């Protein structure tokens, strides 16, 4: 059985290094509540339904642990409607309130207001099965994909190589023909002869000028 000995509401990030209950496990806490409880093993049910109005009366009793921190769960946080911090604070923050609680053998200063062992085990199973299951499925998919891949076919690649070599040879021949044609056109222009395109008008003009000079 637990009894609330003291509770305090604090503001500011420096004052809220921990909180008995906070909605949201990842956000920064600028407003918090500290609930301190005393607890003892009550095998005979002497404290059931007993509420104290005087803190001095609580201090005069013998308790197994004094000023332990009260949380709704191990994480001390959650989201409505599973964990509603407003209701939690109203229920357990009043000094002198007695209620059943669960303490940790490894950390005696950690006390929980409720504990569902089956839910904790189920969460643990999910935390193990889902990541490892996804990992194994990914490995299996990669193995199937790797086995299903085919090696390159050497015979199938040969015609492509031949055609590529042929295309490269034709391109080289075309380049040589273009260079030779350009050189011939330049020589013809120097000699005054018509080029391959048949510039006969220019040639006839030159011939006519030569003939006029002879006359």
């Amino acid at each position: 059985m637990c009894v609330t000995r003291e509770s305090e509401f604090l503001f500011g990030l420096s004052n809220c290094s921990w909180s008995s209950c906070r909605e949201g496990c990842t956000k920064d806490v600028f407003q918090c509540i500290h609930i301190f409880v005393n607890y003892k093993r009550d095998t005979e049910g002497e404290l059931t339904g007993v509420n104290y109005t005087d803190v001095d009366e609580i201090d005069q009793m013998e308790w197994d642990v004094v000023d332990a921190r009260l949380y709704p769960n191990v994480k001390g946080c959650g989201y409505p409607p599973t964990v509603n911090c407003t209701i939690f604070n109203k229920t357990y923050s009043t000094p002198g309130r007695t209620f059943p609680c669960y303490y940790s053998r490894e950390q005696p200063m950690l006390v929980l207001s409720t504990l569902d062992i089956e839910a904790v085990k189920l969460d643990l199973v999910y935390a193990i099965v889902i990541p490892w299951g996804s990992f194994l499925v990914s490995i299996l998919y990669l193995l199937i994909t790797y086995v299903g891949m085919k090696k390159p076919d050497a015979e199938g690649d040969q015609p492509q190589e031949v055609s590529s070599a042929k295309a490269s040879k034709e391109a080289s021949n075309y380049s040589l023909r273009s260079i030779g044609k350009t050189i011939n056109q330049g020589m013809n222009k120097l000699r005054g002869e018509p080029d391959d395109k048949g510039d006969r008008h220019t040639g006839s003009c030159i011939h006519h000028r030569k003939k006029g000079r002879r006359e």
Side-chain angles (χ1 to χ4, degrees):
M1 293 294 293
C2 283
V3 59
T4 302
R5 183 183 180 279
E6 181 184 2
S7 62
E8 55 184 3
F9 289 90
L10 300 175
F11 298 90
L13 187 61
S14 60
N15 296 325
C16 294
S17 59
W18 68 279
S19 179
S20 291
C21 185
R22 60 175 181 172
E23 294 178 355
C25 298
T26 57
K27 66 179 182 181
D28 295 331
V29 181
F30 297 94
Q31 180 180 354
C32 58
I33 180 173
H34 295 170
I35 300 177
F36 297 95
V37 298
N38 299 349
Y39 68 86
K40 65 181 297 185
R41 295 180 181 178
D42 187 20
T43 57
E44 297 180 359
E46 296 178 358
L47 300 178
T48 303
V50 178
N51 293 324
Y52 299 91
T53 57
D54 190 359
V55 178
D56 293 336
E57 186 179 359
I58 298 174
D59 293 337
Q60 292 175 0
M61 295 183 60
E62 294 183 0
W63 303 93
D64 295 337
V65 176
V66 178
D67 288 340
R69 297 178 180 181
L70 180 66
Y71 298 96
N73 49 44
V74 176
K75 298 179 181 179
C77 59
Y79 301 92
T82 305
V83 176
N84 192 319
C85 289
T86 302
I87 298 176
F88 178 85
N89 296 337
K90 289 182 178 180
T91 303
Y92 301 105
S93 62
T94 304
R97 168 72 187 277
T98 58
F99 52 90
C101 58
Y102 303 85
Y103 67 93
S104 172
R105 295 178 181 177
E106 298 294 332
Q107 301 180 18
M109 302 302 293
L110 175 63
V111 180
L112 305 181
S113 59
T114 58
L115 180 62
D116 189 351
I117 297 296
E118 297 299 327
V120 173
K121 292 181 179 180
L122 189 61
D123 292 340
L124 183 61
V125 170
Y126 287 155
I128 295 175
V129 171
I130 293 177
W132 278 100
S134 302
F135 176 74
L136 294 176
V137 169
S138 301
I139 295 297
L140 182 62
Y141 173 77
L142 293 175
L143 291 175
I144 294 175
T145 305
Y146 179 77
V147 172
M149 289 182 178
K150 294 183 179 179
K151 295 182 178 180
D153 189 1
E155 296 180 356
D157 293 341
Q158 186 175 2
Q160 183 178 1
E161 295 177 358
V162 173
S163 60
S164 299
K166 184 177 180 181
S168 177
K169 185 177 180 180
E170 291 179 355
S172 300
N173 294 335
Y174 178 78
S175 299
L176 292 175
R177 288 197 300 270
S178 299
I179 294 172
K181 187 175 181 180
T182 303
I183 294 174
N184 291 332
Q185 289 179 357
M187 295 299 294
N188 291 335
K189 288 182 179 181
L190 292 175
R191 291 196 299 265
E193 297 179 359
D195 55 8
D196 294 342
K197 295 183 179 179
D199 191 3
R200 296 180 179 180
H201 179 72
T202 304
S204 61
C205 290
I206 295 173
H207 179 72
H208 183 69
R209 289 176 182 176
K210 290 181 180 181
K211 184 177 179 181
R213 288 178 183 177
R214 292 176 182 176
E215 291 177 356

